[in-house]
Amino acid sequence: MNVLVTGAAGFIGGHVAEALEARGHQVTALDLRTGEDVRDATALGRLLPGVDVVVHQAAKVGLGVDVADMPGYASVNVYGTAVLLAAMAEHGVGRLVLASSMVIYGEGAYDCPRHGRVRPGPRSAEDLSRGRFEPRCPRCGADLVAAAIDEDAAADPRNAYATTKLAQEHLAASWARETGGTAVALRYHNVYGPRMPRDTPYSGVAAIFRSALEAGRAPRVFEDGGQRRDFVHVRDVADANVAALGGGRPGTLTAYNIASGEPQTVGRMARELAALRGGPEPVVTGEYRLGDVRHIVASPERAATELGFRARVGFGEGMKEFATAPLA
């Protein structure tokens, strides 16, 4: 296939482009770092003719710093995707693989001993300041047990980035309905691996911990370190994009969790990286961010059944590599 990869010079996009080329696909790269913007309809008009599928990785990422980040997120993620989809329709490109995110779910799935499956709202600043980090049942206030969330769960974005990722999915679904195109949204969980961006306010937690250890500092773990995430290796994410080239159904958007299926706590990841690098022990700070969620554990079964994708890099193997892998 002829594949246009947006964000091809980025952390995930670079690995995706390499995986596509390794499997014999012809890759055309678009990236702001090389002077081509996904918001530039003229550039898209030059690149899209003859393309079979667009793999859309370009995005402004991370939780953000404050509300001043909102225009940037909306411009790149929402407006940029709208420009891309309009250009695809104009040039007859009928297949899209979209880099989406688990952040659209907000909190993950939980079970209450009295009320069964529930979706708690945002944790209050009062609870967080008192060190009560676990969500409570929205009906009875009882403690909850985290469960795996699947793709049919209702969206509940908690920050500007999450809101724009959900908007991308809605735009792609509209494009698919109106053009008969096929859209696949890959909801990445916590991606890590070689060439991950270094410590910035927009970095993932894995890069923040690695950067601290590289500088000889102890990783600072927020809350009590018990937050559960699914850390998925970037090479597995790249393989998922290759698998998605033939996925989905015409006229609609189909979403897939892209996850390892092996949830871990943030505290364990910090301890693993510190031990592997021989660095200082992590410091559990009790700090918190209102936009963060407590647990997000994914069900990877739909991707396995429909795309034939299962992650291959285990947590221990991936962390051993990541502890010394080059960062961008």
Side-chain angles (χ1 to χ4, degrees), residues 92-116:
V93 181
R95 183 173 285 275
L96 173 73
V97 177
L98 170 68
S100 187
S101 174
M102 56 87 177
V103 295
I104 72 165
Y105 295 124
E107 284 287 352
Y110 292 85
D111 290 325
C112 170
R114 289 182 58 193
H115 298 107

Side-chain angles (χ1 to χ4, degrees), residues 44 106 132 153 230 314:
L44 292 169
R132 173 146 194 161
D230 190 305

Side-chain angles (χ1 to χ4, degrees), residues 14 34 42 46 89 119 147 155 182 209 217 234 261 270 279 287 289 292:
T34 56
T42 301
R46 185 173 65 252
R119 292 293 300 279
T182 301
F209 291 164
R217 302 190 309 269
V234 68
E287 296 173 85
R289 298 187 298 183
D292 283 342

Side-chain angles (χ1 to χ4, degrees), residues 191-231:
V191 186
Y192 72 97
R195 308 200 302 265
M196 195 173 190
R198 290 181 181 275
D199 185 6
T200 78
Y202 306 95
S203 295
V205 67
I208 292 171
F209 291 164
R210 235 308 295 275
S211 297
L213 288 163
E214 197 167 307
R217 302 190 309 269
R220 294 177 60 82
V221 179
F222 280 16
E223 301 186 17
D224 60 0
Q227 312 93 298
R228 297 177 74 204
R229 299 288 187 271
D230 190 305
F231 298 101

Side-chain angles (χ1 to χ4, degrees), residues 49-320:
V51 166
D52 299 307
V53 55
V54 172
V55 176
H56 184 29
Q57 305 292 320
K60 182 177 176 68
V61 300
L63 180 64
V65 177
D66 54 39
V67 294
D69 285 319
M70 286 184 176
Y73 280 113
S75 177
V76 176
N77 298 355
V78 182
Y79 178 68
T81 299
V83 173
L84 173 64
L85 293 169
M88 289 174 63
E90 180 181 354
H91 295 281
V93 181
R95 183 173 285 275
L96 173 73
V97 177
L98 170 68
S100 187
S101 174
M102 56 87 177
V103 295
I104 72 165
Y105 295 124
E107 284 287 352
Y110 292 85
D111 290 325
C112 170
R114 289 182 58 193
H115 298 107
R117 184 59 50 89
V118 296
R119 292 293 300 279
R123 296 175 295 170
S124 71
E126 181 181 3
D127 276 353
L128 292 168
S129 66
R130 292 178 175 177
R132 173 146 194 161
F133 301 122
E134 295 292 339
R136 291 183 279 184
C137 177
R139 297 177 63 183
C140 69
D143 291 337
L144 300 173
V145 177
I149 197 164
D150 64 26
E151 295 85 350
D152 294 327
D156 185 17
R158 302 286 176 87
N159 55 63
Y161 171 62
T163 301
T164 62
K165 296 308 286 184
L166 181 58
Q168 286 183 316
E169 288 198 16
H170 287 318
L171 288 169
S174 295
W175 166 84
R177 283 193 299 271
E178 294 183 25
T179 66
T182 301
V184 173
L186 302 181
R187 293 175 179 167
Y188 302 158
H189 286 251
N190 288 66
V191 186
Y192 72 97
R195 308 200 302 265
M196 195 173 190
R198 290 181 181 275
D199 185 6
T200 78
Y202 306 95
S203 295
V205 67
I208 292 171
F209 291 164
R210 235 308 295 275
S211 297
L213 288 163
E214 197 167 307
R217 302 190 309 269
R220 294 177 60 82
V221 179
F222 280 16
E223 301 186 17
D224 60 0
Q227 312 93 298
R228 297 177 74 204
R229 299 288 187 271
D230 190 305
F231 298 101
V232 57
H233 196 280
V234 68
R235 287 195 297 273
D236 283 326
V237 171
D239 288 345
N241 277 269
V242 176
L245 294 181
R249 294 176 290 277
T252 190
L253 176 141
T254 309
Y256 297 94
N257 285 327
I258 302 302
S260 72
E262 299 178 354
Q264 308 289 340
T265 67
V266 171
R268 182 185 176 191
M269 185 185 68
R271 293 190 298 273
E272 288 277 335
L273 288 174
L276 287 163
R277 286 192 63 90
E281 285 288 313
V283 175
V284 178
T285 69
E287 296 173 85
Y288 61 88
R289 298 187 298 183
L290 284 175
D292 283 342
V293 299
R294 180 61 174 174
H295 304 298
I296 179 76
V297 176
S299 168
E301 292 309 311
R302 180 184 289 179
T305 301
E306 298 185 12
L307 300 181
F309 167 77
R310 280 198 184 275
R312 295 180 296 173
V313 181
F315 180 76
E317 174 191 355
M319 285 295 137
K320 184 176 181 180

